[in-house]
Amino acid sequence: MLSASHDIDYSIVICTYNPDVRILQRCLQAVQQLDTSNLQTEVILVDNNSNTPVNNLPCVVACRQQLPAFTCLLVKEQGVRFARMAAIEQAAGKFIVYIDYDNEPEKDYLQQLKQLNTLYPGVAAWGPGNVQVDFIDGVNEAIAAYARVAFQERHEQEVLFSSEKQWQPCYPFGTGLCTYAFLLREYIRMARAGKFTLDGRTGEKLSSGEDTQMILLCISMGYAAGVSPDLHITHMIPASRANDAYLRRLAYGTSVCYATCLLQVFPEQEDRLLQQVMGPYRFLKNALKQFIKVQYSKEPHRLFELARFIGLNTGLYHALNKPVPLPVNKIARYLKLE
């Protein structure tokens, strides 16, 4: 591995756990086809302790033969956060680009990043403004529109960025995220010190807290974050995720972590969160009201809205160290949100 002199421009990090081989193969093929003209790059594939070692898969063996600067890491501690932290410590690039194993970047992805990083040095985190969701096994039309949004489809028309100290619509998600490596090493330092505690996705748990904290950390250190329409990625979604059960768990998992993410990066936001939190009776009343409507509704989006409502408010309670009303926890268990 090269030293911190940044002889490498971009370290591409791919984290995976028990991958669908069809999807991983498409991802690796897209990474091999990236235009790296006048760029020095490396690829770090992280196996987060899959049941079948990823290193031995034929598509990984083929990629290793095509890309000399290719490393496969085995990280046994379960959780995307731990996988990414290991990759950050290994990475030698000035920038780290997260290409999730279900991402298929366009050929010019790195070249577009290079232009953005040159034109906007004060933007520390970039993500794709154009994300196309590909339901590789199809999707039920009743949930298709919601699922596209849930899986981060977006089609921006212009470069957008901000430095507000709370989540903004223009902030990037983890899909295709490019960040200054030195800021991610600061994230590691703070995580190891116990300041950041969210593990991100772990097995069946669908939280995405580590992505959010990385982006908010960039904001806290005086940088901006944003998206560009010139960054294109295809997000590949199989049948195992294009269904009601997964989507309600995703709605809960991606919302329950937000208040903790925000408060751990910006402790001064506690007063604002205290003003937002519902009292236990109101929380329970609203949850029950929505739960009853779900039972009599044929519209699946109501179930996803209920999962998100419970997630956002449960997250506030967790962040502020308040006990969640027991009946709300029972509803969450009944709906299998965790």
Side-chain angles (χ1 to χ4, degrees):
M1 188 179 85
L2 297 177
S3 67
S5 60
H6 300 312
D7 295 320
I8 290 179
D9 300 297
Y10 294 97
S11 295
I12 299 169
V13 171
I14 306 168
C15 296
T16 186
Y17 169 71
N18 290 339
D20 181 322
V21 176
R22 301 172 300 165
I23 295 175
L24 179 60
Q25 183 171 353
R26 279 179 58 176
C27 171
L28 293 178
Q29 287 174 345
V31 168
Q32 290 176 64
Q33 293 167 9
L34 286 170
D35 181 358
T36 59
S37 303
N38 301 314
L39 293 174
Q40 295 297 318
T41 63
E42 64 175 353
V43 177
I44 301 172
L45 176 65
V46 186
D47 179 359
N48 199 192
N49 208 24
S50 299
N51 295 335
T52 299
V54 169
N55 193 44
N56 298 329
L57 295 175
C59 61
V60 175
V61 173
C63 189
R64 186 186 300 111
Q65 293 171 346
Q66 293 294 320
L67 297 174
F70 181 95
T71 303
C72 190
L73 296 179
L74 174 62
V75 177
K76 293 188 176 182
E77 193 166 11
Q78 194 69 56
V80 174
R81 180 178 76 150
F82 302 111
R84 289 186 169 179
M85 287 170 64
I88 293 165
E89 291 176 328
Q90 174 81 14
K94 180 179 181 181
F95 298 95
I96 293 176
V97 186
Y98 292 127
I99 302 294
D100 292 340
Y101 103 90
D102 58 3
N103 296 168
E104 198 173 42
E106 287 295 311
K107 184 178 180 179
D108 67 346
Y109 201 83
L110 295 180
Q111 297 297 333
Q112 294 295 341
L113 278 175
K114 180 182 178 181
Q115 291 187 36
L116 291 166
N117 292 142
T118 301
L119 288 172
Y120 305 98
V123 180
W126 284 107
N130 268 302
V131 179
Q132 181 69 45
V133 175
D134 179 7
F135 296 106
I136 64 172
D137 300 314
V139 63
N140 185 334
E141 284 302 315
I143 63 172
Y146 178 89
R148 289 191 180 280
V149 175
F151 291 118
Q152 304 172 0
E153 182 158 317
R154 66 194 303 169
H155 301 285
E156 305 295 349
Q157 301 299 313
E158 59 184 341
V159 172
L160 301 168
F161 56 86
S162 177
S163 57
E164 292 293 319
K165 294 184 178 181
Q166 55 183 305
W167 193 262
Q168 300 297 303
C170 67
Y171 286 170
F173 300 105
T175 301
L177 179 65
C178 174
T179 314
Y180 282 120
F182 79 90
L183 290 175
L184 294 182
R185 293 194 175 92
E186 178 63 11
Y187 167 84
I188 289 180
R189 185 190 69 78
M190 298 175 84
R192 295 206 188 284
K195 183 168 184 181
F196 298 151
T197 61
L198 296 168
D199 340 353
R201 301 194 178 191
T202 307
E204 295 301 311
K205 182 181 173 185
L206 298 182
S207 170
S208 57
E210 83 290 346
D211 292 339
T212 303
Q213 286 192 315
M214 289 174 183
I215 292 164
L216 293 178
L217 177 63
C218 294
I219 303 302
S220 74
M221 298 184 70
Y223 291 89
V227 295
S228 168
D230 296 322
L231 295 174
H232 293 250
I233 269 184
T234 298
H235 196 184
M236 298 171 280
I237 305 298
S240 59
R241 284 186 274 164
N243 58 73
D244 290 21
Y246 187 94
L247 284 168
R248 68 172 176 257
R249 288 172 48 237
L250 183 65
Y252 177 86
T254 53
S255 56
V256 74
C257 61
Y258 175 67
T260 297
C261 288
L262 184 69
L263 197 56
Q264 288 184 349
V265 179
F266 300 111
E268 67 274 15
Q269 295 275 3
E270 182 172 2
D271 288 343
R272 189 174 66 83
L273 295 183
L274 283 168
Q275 293 174 3
Q276 294 178 354
V277 70
M278 287 185 180
Y281 175 76
R282 184 180 169 206
F283 183 14
L284 174 57
K285 179 182 176 181
N286 287 342
L288 284 172
K289 183 178 179 180
Q290 291 191 43
F291 178 73
I292 292 169
K293 285 183 177 179
V294 164
Q295 307 311 305
Y296 294 96
S297 175
K298 295 182 179 180
E299 299 177 3
H301 70 87
R302 287 189 180 275
L303 177 58
F304 308 142
E305 289 170 358
L306 171 60
R308 186 172 184 274
F309 171 81
I310 292 175
L312 283 171
N313 288 282
T314 295
L316 275 169
Y317 272 65
H318 288 169
L320 298 169
N321 295 312
K322 294 177 177 291
V324 178
L326 182 59
V328 174
N329 284 329
K330 288 184 176 180
I331 293 173
R333 284 196 296 271
Y334 177 82
L335 296 175
K336 299 179 180 178
L337 299 182
E338 293 185 307

